[in-house]
Protein backbone atom coordinates (compact mmCIF):
# COMPACT_ATOMS: atom_id res chain seq x y z
CA UNK A 1 0.00 0.00 0.00
CA UNK A 2 1.28 3.44 -0.88
CA UNK A 3 2.77 5.03 2.25
CA UNK A 4 0.90 8.30 1.79
CA UNK A 5 -1.94 10.12 3.50
CA UNK A 6 -5.14 8.37 4.55
CA UNK A 7 -8.77 9.44 4.61
CA UNK A 8 -9.30 11.68 1.59
CA UNK A 9 -12.59 11.16 -0.20
CA UNK A 10 -12.67 10.29 -3.91
CA UNK A 11 -12.20 12.89 -6.57
CA UNK A 12 -10.41 15.36 -4.37
CA UNK A 13 -13.34 15.75 -1.98
CA UNK A 14 -12.43 15.77 1.66
CA UNK A 15 -13.72 13.15 4.05
CA UNK A 16 -12.76 12.07 7.57
CA UNK A 17 -9.05 11.44 7.75
CA UNK A 18 -6.24 10.92 10.19
CA UNK A 19 -3.94 13.62 8.94
CA UNK A 20 -0.93 14.98 10.70
CA UNK A 21 0.84 18.24 10.08
CA UNK A 22 4.57 18.62 9.80
CA UNK A 23 6.33 21.87 10.56
CA UNK A 24 6.88 23.52 7.15
CA UNK A 25 9.90 25.59 6.14
CA UNK A 26 9.61 29.28 6.96
CA UNK A 27 7.13 31.19 4.83
CA UNK A 28 5.77 28.04 3.13
CA UNK A 29 2.24 26.64 3.24
CA UNK A 30 1.50 24.06 5.93
CA UNK A 31 1.18 20.47 4.81
CA UNK A 32 -1.26 17.74 5.69
CA UNK A 33 -0.22 14.13 5.17
CA UNK A 34 0.15 10.95 7.19
CA UNK A 35 2.91 8.90 8.71
CA UNK A 36 4.88 6.57 6.50
CA UNK A 37 4.56 2.86 7.15
CA UNK A 38 6.94 1.96 10.03
CA UNK A 39 9.58 -0.73 9.58
CA UNK A 40 9.66 -2.92 12.75
CA UNK A 41 12.99 -3.72 14.32
CA UNK A 42 14.02 -7.37 14.64
CA UNK A 43 14.52 -9.08 18.01
CA UNK A 44 18.20 -10.03 18.63
CA UNK A 45 17.62 -13.77 18.12
CA UNK A 46 15.70 -13.27 14.88
CA UNK A 47 18.27 -10.75 13.68
CA UNK A 48 21.08 -13.24 14.34
CA UNK A 49 19.18 -15.92 12.44
CA UNK A 50 18.63 -13.53 9.57
CA UNK A 51 22.36 -12.75 9.42
CA UNK A 52 23.16 -16.47 9.36
CA UNK A 53 20.71 -16.99 6.51
CA UNK A 54 22.22 -14.11 4.57
CA UNK A 55 25.75 -15.51 5.01
CA UNK A 56 24.61 -18.98 3.95
CA UNK A 57 22.68 -17.54 1.01
CA UNK A 58 25.65 -15.47 -0.17
CA UNK A 59 27.83 -18.56 -0.02
CA UNK A 60 25.39 -20.60 -2.08
CA UNK A 61 24.93 -17.83 -4.64
CA UNK A 62 28.67 -17.27 -4.86
CA UNK A 63 29.22 -20.98 -5.48
CA UNK A 64 26.59 -21.06 -8.17
CA UNK A 65 28.05 -18.03 -9.96
CA UNK A 66 31.57 -19.45 -9.73
CA UNK A 67 30.30 -22.70 -11.20
CA UNK A 68 28.71 -20.90 -14.11
CA UNK A 69 31.98 -19.11 -14.86
CA UNK A 70 33.88 -22.40 -14.90
CA UNK A 71 31.35 -24.26 -17.02
CA UNK A 72 30.42 -21.36 -19.25
CA UNK A 73 26.73 -21.87 -18.46
CA UNK A 74 25.17 -18.48 -19.30
CA UNK A 75 21.76 -19.74 -18.20
CA UNK A 76 23.08 -19.86 -14.63
CA UNK A 77 23.81 -16.11 -14.62
CA UNK A 78 21.38 -14.05 -12.49
CA UNK A 79 18.69 -12.26 -14.47
CA UNK A 80 18.93 -8.49 -14.70
CA UNK A 81 15.71 -6.85 -13.39
CA UNK A 82 13.75 -4.91 -15.99
CA UNK A 83 13.14 -1.23 -15.25
CA UNK A 84 9.73 -1.38 -16.94
CA UNK A 85 8.59 -4.23 -14.71
CA UNK A 86 10.10 -2.63 -11.61
CA UNK A 87 8.20 0.61 -12.21
CA UNK A 88 4.88 -1.22 -12.02
CA UNK A 89 5.37 -1.91 -8.28
CA UNK A 90 6.77 1.46 -7.22
CA UNK A 91 3.39 2.75 -6.01
CA UNK A 92 3.63 0.59 -2.87
CA UNK A 93 7.40 0.13 -2.47
CA UNK A 94 8.86 3.65 -2.65
CA UNK A 95 8.59 6.29 0.15
CA UNK A 96 6.18 9.14 -0.47
CA UNK A 97 8.98 11.72 -0.19
CA UNK A 98 10.75 10.03 -3.10
CA UNK A 99 7.75 10.04 -5.43
CA UNK A 100 6.45 13.42 -4.24
CA UNK A 101 9.33 15.44 -2.73
CA UNK A 102 8.41 18.06 -0.15
CA UNK A 103 9.95 20.71 -2.40
CA UNK A 104 10.33 20.75 -6.18
CA UNK A 105 12.65 23.12 -8.01
CA UNK A 106 12.13 24.05 -11.63
CA UNK A 107 15.00 25.93 -13.24
CA UNK A 108 13.72 27.83 -16.30
CA UNK A 109 10.30 26.19 -15.76
CA UNK A 110 8.15 29.34 -15.64
CA UNK A 111 7.05 31.91 -18.22
CA UNK A 112 10.05 33.58 -19.84
CA UNK A 113 12.26 30.74 -18.49
CA UNK A 114 11.82 31.98 -14.93
CA UNK A 115 12.88 29.66 -12.12
CA UNK A 116 10.08 28.09 -10.09
CA UNK A 117 9.80 26.45 -6.67
CA UNK A 118 6.86 24.43 -5.39
CA UNK A 119 6.07 23.20 -1.87
CA UNK A 120 3.99 20.10 -1.17
CA UNK A 121 0.74 20.92 0.62
CA UNK A 122 -0.96 17.53 0.90
CA UNK A 123 -0.61 13.90 -0.15
CA UNK A 124 -3.61 11.68 -0.92
CA UNK A 125 -3.94 8.03 0.02
CA UNK A 126 -3.35 5.61 -2.84
CA UNK A 127 -6.68 5.33 -4.61
CA UNK A 128 -8.61 3.11 -6.96
CA UNK A 129 -8.76 4.53 -10.47
CA UNK A 130 -12.55 4.93 -10.46
CA UNK A 131 -12.34 6.92 -7.21
CA UNK A 132 -9.56 9.29 -8.27
CA UNK A 133 -10.22 9.93 -11.97
CA UNK A 134 -13.18 11.17 -14.07
CA UNK A 135 -15.20 8.38 -15.76
CA UNK A 136 -14.20 9.23 -19.38
CA UNK A 137 -10.51 9.04 -18.42
CA UNK A 138 -11.07 5.75 -16.57
CA UNK A 139 -12.67 4.35 -19.75
CA UNK A 140 -9.70 5.48 -21.85
CA UNK A 141 -7.25 3.83 -19.44
CA UNK A 142 -9.21 0.57 -19.15
CA UNK A 143 -7.41 -1.32 -21.99
CA UNK A 144 -4.13 -0.76 -20.15
CA UNK A 145 -5.49 -2.16 -16.87
CA UNK A 146 -5.50 0.80 -14.49
CA UNK A 147 -4.21 -0.32 -11.05
CA UNK A 148 -3.70 2.53 -8.54
CA UNK A 149 -3.49 6.34 -8.51
CA UNK A 150 -1.12 8.39 -6.35
CA UNK A 151 -1.68 12.14 -5.92
CA UNK A 152 -0.21 15.15 -4.19
CA UNK A 153 -0.96 18.88 -4.30
CA UNK A 154 1.71 21.58 -4.47
CA UNK A 155 1.66 25.36 -4.05
CA UNK A 156 3.98 27.77 -5.82
CA UNK A 157 6.40 29.98 -3.89
CA UNK A 158 3.96 32.89 -3.77
CA UNK A 159 1.05 30.65 -2.67
CA UNK A 160 -0.99 32.05 -5.56
CA UNK A 161 -1.40 28.82 -7.52
CA UNK A 162 -2.04 25.16 -6.72
CA UNK A 163 -1.30 22.03 -8.73
CA UNK A 164 -2.40 18.46 -8.14
CA UNK A 165 0.03 16.01 -9.71
CA UNK A 166 -0.75 12.32 -10.16
CA UNK A 167 0.78 9.01 -11.21
CA UNK A 168 -1.54 6.34 -12.60
CA UNK A 169 0.00 2.85 -12.44
CA UNK A 170 -1.27 0.31 -14.98
CA UNK A 171 -0.90 -3.36 -15.89
CA UNK A 172 -0.22 -2.55 -19.52
CA UNK A 173 2.69 -4.05 -21.43
CA UNK A 174 4.76 -1.97 -23.83
CA UNK A 175 2.40 -2.36 -26.84
CA UNK A 176 -0.61 -1.48 -24.67
CA UNK A 177 1.08 1.66 -23.35
CA UNK A 178 2.18 2.66 -26.85
CA UNK A 179 -1.43 2.36 -28.01
CA UNK A 180 -2.65 4.35 -25.01
CA UNK A 181 -0.11 7.08 -25.68
CA UNK A 182 -1.34 7.29 -29.26
CA UNK A 183 -4.96 7.71 -28.12
CA UNK A 184 -3.99 10.43 -25.66
CA UNK A 185 -1.74 12.40 -28.02
CA UNK A 186 -2.52 11.92 -31.70
CA UNK A 187 -6.08 10.94 -30.81
CA UNK A 188 -6.48 14.18 -28.86
CA UNK A 189 -8.02 12.61 -25.74
CA UNK A 190 -5.44 14.22 -23.43
CA UNK A 191 -6.74 17.66 -24.36
CA UNK A 192 -10.46 16.98 -23.94
CA UNK A 193 -12.06 18.73 -20.98
CA UNK A 194 -13.88 15.56 -19.91
CA UNK A 195 -10.42 14.02 -19.36
CA UNK A 196 -9.19 16.72 -16.97
CA UNK A 197 -8.08 14.87 -13.81
CA UNK A 198 -9.62 15.70 -10.45
CA UNK A 199 -7.89 18.02 -8.02
CA UNK A 200 -6.97 16.88 -4.51
CA UNK A 201 -7.99 19.20 -1.67
CA UNK A 202 -7.72 18.90 2.12
CA UNK A 203 -9.52 20.97 4.74
CA UNK A 204 -7.29 23.17 6.85
CA UNK A 205 -4.68 23.67 4.11
CA UNK A 206 -4.08 26.20 1.36
CA UNK A 207 -5.74 23.70 -0.98
CA UNK A 208 -9.03 23.52 0.95
CA UNK A 209 -10.95 25.30 -1.82
CA UNK A 210 -9.16 23.68 -4.77
CA UNK A 211 -12.03 21.87 -6.48
CA UNK A 212 -13.35 20.94 -9.90
CA UNK A 213 -14.41 24.50 -10.83
CA UNK A 214 -10.92 25.80 -10.02
CA UNK A 215 -9.19 23.66 -12.67
CA UNK A 216 -7.51 26.00 -15.15
CA UNK A 217 -4.82 24.05 -17.01
CA UNK A 218 -3.67 20.45 -17.21
CA UNK A 219 -1.27 17.99 -18.80
CA UNK A 220 -1.75 14.23 -19.29
CA UNK A 221 0.65 11.74 -20.87
CA UNK A 222 2.24 8.30 -20.69
CA UNK A 223 5.53 8.40 -18.80
CA UNK A 224 8.27 7.50 -21.26
CA UNK A 225 9.25 3.83 -21.01
CA UNK A 226 6.94 2.98 -18.11
CA UNK A 227 3.47 1.48 -17.53
CA UNK A 228 2.47 4.75 -15.88
CA UNK A 229 0.39 7.76 -16.89
CA UNK A 230 1.41 11.09 -15.40
CA UNK A 231 -0.77 14.16 -15.05
CA UNK A 232 -0.99 17.55 -13.39
CA UNK A 233 -3.87 20.02 -13.08
CA UNK A 234 -3.38 23.59 -11.89
CA UNK A 235 -5.52 26.49 -10.73
CA UNK A 236 -5.63 29.63 -8.63
CA UNK A 237 -5.13 29.35 -4.87
CA UNK A 238 -7.77 31.99 -4.10
CA UNK A 239 -10.62 29.69 -5.12
CA UNK A 240 -11.72 31.63 -8.20
CA UNK A 241 -13.79 29.74 -10.76
CA UNK A 242 -12.31 29.13 -14.22
CA UNK A 243 -14.82 28.81 -17.05
CA UNK A 244 -12.35 28.17 -19.89
CA UNK A 245 -9.71 25.63 -18.77
CA UNK A 246 -6.94 25.21 -21.31
CA UNK A 247 -4.49 22.33 -21.90
CA UNK A 248 -0.95 23.20 -20.82
CA UNK A 249 0.28 22.65 -24.36
CA UNK A 250 -1.89 25.56 -25.54
CA UNK A 251 -1.55 27.67 -22.39
CA UNK A 252 2.24 27.84 -22.78
CA UNK A 253 2.18 29.16 -26.34
CA UNK A 254 3.44 32.74 -26.66
CA UNK A 255 0.56 35.18 -26.99
CA UNK A 256 -2.12 32.95 -25.47
CA UNK A 257 -4.73 35.14 -23.75
CA UNK A 258 -6.75 32.81 -21.53
CA UNK A 259 -6.72 33.23 -17.76
CA UNK A 260 -4.64 30.07 -17.44
CA UNK A 261 -2.09 31.26 -19.97
CA UNK A 262 -1.71 34.78 -18.59
CA UNK A 263 -1.24 33.43 -15.05
CA UNK A 264 1.36 30.91 -16.19
CA UNK A 265 -0.73 27.95 -14.98
CA UNK A 266 0.17 25.87 -18.01
CA UNK A 267 3.82 26.20 -17.00
CA UNK A 268 2.91 25.18 -13.45
CA UNK A 269 1.23 21.96 -14.63
CA UNK A 270 3.99 21.06 -17.08
CA UNK A 271 6.81 21.91 -14.70
CA UNK A 272 5.53 19.91 -11.75
CA UNK A 273 4.52 16.91 -13.87
CA UNK A 274 7.93 16.81 -15.54
CA UNK A 275 9.81 16.77 -12.24
CA UNK A 276 7.63 14.14 -10.60
CA UNK A 277 7.90 11.92 -13.67
CA UNK A 278 11.67 12.35 -13.72
CA UNK A 279 11.78 11.36 -10.06
CA UNK A 280 9.78 8.23 -10.88
CA UNK A 281 12.24 7.28 -13.63
CA UNK A 282 15.13 7.77 -11.22
CA UNK A 283 13.42 5.63 -8.57
CA UNK A 284 12.81 2.85 -11.08
CA UNK A 285 16.43 2.87 -12.22
CA UNK A 286 17.76 2.97 -8.67
CA UNK A 287 15.50 0.15 -7.55
CA UNK A 288 16.46 -1.93 -10.55
CA UNK A 289 20.24 -1.68 -10.08
CA UNK A 290 20.29 -1.72 -6.28
CA UNK A 291 21.97 -4.78 -4.69
CA UNK A 292 19.42 -7.37 -3.60
Amino acid sequence: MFPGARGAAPGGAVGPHHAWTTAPPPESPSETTTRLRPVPSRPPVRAAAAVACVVLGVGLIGGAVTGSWLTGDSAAEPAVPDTYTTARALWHSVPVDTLFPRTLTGDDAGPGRADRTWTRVAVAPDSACADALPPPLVKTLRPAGCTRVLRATYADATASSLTTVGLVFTEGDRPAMTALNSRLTTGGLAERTDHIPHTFSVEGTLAAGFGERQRASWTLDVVDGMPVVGYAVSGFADGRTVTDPQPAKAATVAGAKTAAAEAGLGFEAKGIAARVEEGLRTAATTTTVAPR
Side-chain angles (χ1 to χ4, degrees):
M1 186 169 189
F2 175 58
R6 305 220 182 274
V14 180
H17 57 80
H18 303 287
W20 68 290
T21 303
T22 57
E27 300 182 0
S28 64
S30 59
E31 179 189 5
T32 296
T33 182
T34 61
R35 299 180 186 278
L36 300 182
R37 184 167 47 192
V39 178
S41 59
R42 291 176 174 168
V45 174
R46 297 171 75 180
V51 170
C53 291
V54 170
V55 172
L56 178 59
V58 170
L60 292 174
I61 293 171
V65 173
T66 301
S68 69
W69 287 342
L70 294 176
T71 62
D73 183 7
S74 60
E77 296 177 3
V80 177
D82 177 54
T83 302
Y84 191 90
T85 302
T86 300
R88 201 186 308 279
L90 293 181
W91 70 268
H92 61 72
S93 61
V94 175
V96 63
D97 288 346
T98 297
L99 293 178
F100 299 122
R102 292 178 180 273
T103 301
L104 293 172
T105 301
D107 296 337
D108 303 331
R113 300 181 64 84
D115 295 340
R116 310 293 288 168
T117 301
W118 302 280
T119 300
R120 198 179 72 197
V121 175
V123 180
D126 59 275
S127 306
C129 299
D131 294 336
L133 303 172
L137 180 53
V138 172
K139 181 178 179 180
T140 295
L141 296 173
R142 189 168 296 136
C146 188
T147 304
R148 300 301 284 178
V149 182
L150 310 184
R151 297 171 291 167
T153 295
Y154 286 82
D156 74 321
T158 64
S160 60
S161 70
L162 293 164
T163 301
T164 293
V165 59
L167 296 170
V168 183
F169 290 77
T170 78
E171 299 173 345
D173 56 15
R174 295 177 190 273
M177 297 309 292
T178 298
L180 174 59
N181 185 60
S182 178
R183 291 196 298 274
L184 290 175
T185 54
T186 59
L189 294 180
E191 297 185 7
R192 283 176 40 167
T193 55
D194 63 353
H195 277 52
I196 303 178
H198 295 310
T199 60
F200 174 66
S201 59
V202 176
E203 292 292 347
T205 71
L206 182 64
F210 190 37
E212 305 297 89
R213 294 187 300 172
Q214 282 68 49
R215 296 177 298 180
S217 190
W218 77 98
T219 181
L220 175 69
D221 61 9
V222 172
V223 180
D224 186 35
M226 292 190 175
V228 179
V229 173
Y231 69 82
V233 53
S234 60
F236 297 100
D238 60 8
R240 78 183 73 173
T241 298
V242 178
T243 58
D244 55 345
Q246 186 177 36
K249 182 178 179 180
T252 54
V253 173
K257 297 299 183 181
T258 62
E262 293 183 341
L265 295 177
F267 287 95
E268 299 291 295
K270 288 179 62 175
I272 291 178
R275 278 141 192 86
V276 168
E277 291 174 16
E278 180 59 33
L280 179 68
R281 282 189 286 267
T282 299
T285 302
T286 302
T287 302
T288 299
V289 301
R292 300 179 66 85

